[in-house]
Amino acid sequence: MRSRPFPIVSLLLATISVAPASDQRQPARPSEWPAYGGGPEQIRYSPLDQINRNNVARLAVAWTYDTGESGGLQTQPLVIDGVLYGYTPSHKTFALRAGTGEHLWTFDSGIKGRGANRGLMYWSSASDARVYAAVDQYLYALDARTGKAVPSFGDNGRIDLRLGLDRDP
């Protein structure tokens, strides 16, 4: 185990390890969180009812994800079509399979961000799905399947949010 100056930054999900024998229902498909705060209402609440007073004592870790970075993980992840999108402490964007924690991709802009960076945005059409991620003064459009910058967006996948404001950036 390697030593780090700060605690390991991880995402942690929990699941019920054993369903009650009397519950013959199939588990509901987990809700998606398509926008910051869970949705347009930003209530940060899930209507899921699989965890209750009768089974909460049987919660067990389903998976963890180590970003490999130190510092505080301050992200509001999105969950779309079974994929969790979030930020690392240095503002890299990542995608994981929400059900297993399997790492799908990480986008590194090359700019080391600092401080909280919580909000990602998601957009899709019939043939295109994008994650919009901010790093410093830039907004990146990423292909949601690959994590690669979309070259047709702005200047090779990013726009500078300081430009076009009728003042010196």
Side-chain angles (χ1 to χ4, degrees):
M1 183 170 189
R2 59 185 191 238
S3 84
R4 297 195 177 153
F6 298 99
I8 294 173
V9 175
S10 297
L11 285 175
L12 178 68
L13 290 185
T15 186
I16 301 297
S17 58
V18 180
S22 63
D23 188 359
Q24 299 301 319
R25 298 179 301 149
Q26 290 293 328
R29 183 170 182 228
S31 289
E32 294 189 346
W33 283 60
Y36 183 88
E41 302 84 17
Q42 296 191 18
I43 60 174
R44 292 170 176 78
Y45 170 77
S46 171
L48 298 177
D49 61 3
Q50 291 124 335
I51 300 170
N52 57 52
R53 291 179 190 195
N54 297 325
N55 62 21
V56 70
R58 293 193 311 271
L59 284 177
V61 174
W63 57 264
T64 64
Y65 174 67
D66 180 0
T67 66
E69 298 180 12
S70 59
L73 182 67
Q74 296 186 36
T75 187
Q76 287 277 332
L78 303 178
V79 179
I80 316 278
D81 292 330
V83 177
L84 182 148
Y85 302 95
Y87 280 116
T88 71
S90 68
H91 300 182
K92 294 175 186 151
T93 307
F94 62 86
L96 311 172
R97 289 208 194 288
T100 64
E102 173 191 355
H103 180 262
L104 300 173
W105 54 258
T106 298
F107 171 77
D108 183 355
S109 68
I111 300 168
K112 184 170 177 156
R114 55 195 182 280
N117 198 9
R118 297 179 181 104
L120 297 163
M121 296 296 290
Y122 181 87
W123 170 89
S124 68
S125 72
S127 62
D128 194 7
R130 298 180 184 183
V131 174
Y132 290 92
V135 180
D136 208 22
Q137 75 267 13
Y138 298 103
L139 178 67
Y140 291 85
L142 309 176
D143 182 307
R145 293 177 273 292
T146 66
K148 305 268 186 231
V150 177
S152 62
F153 179 81
D155 184 13
N156 287 321
R158 77 179 189 185
I159 58 174
D160 186 334
L161 297 173
R162 301 173 303 172
L163 300 178
L165 300 176
D166 295 327
R167 63 176 173 81
D168 183 11

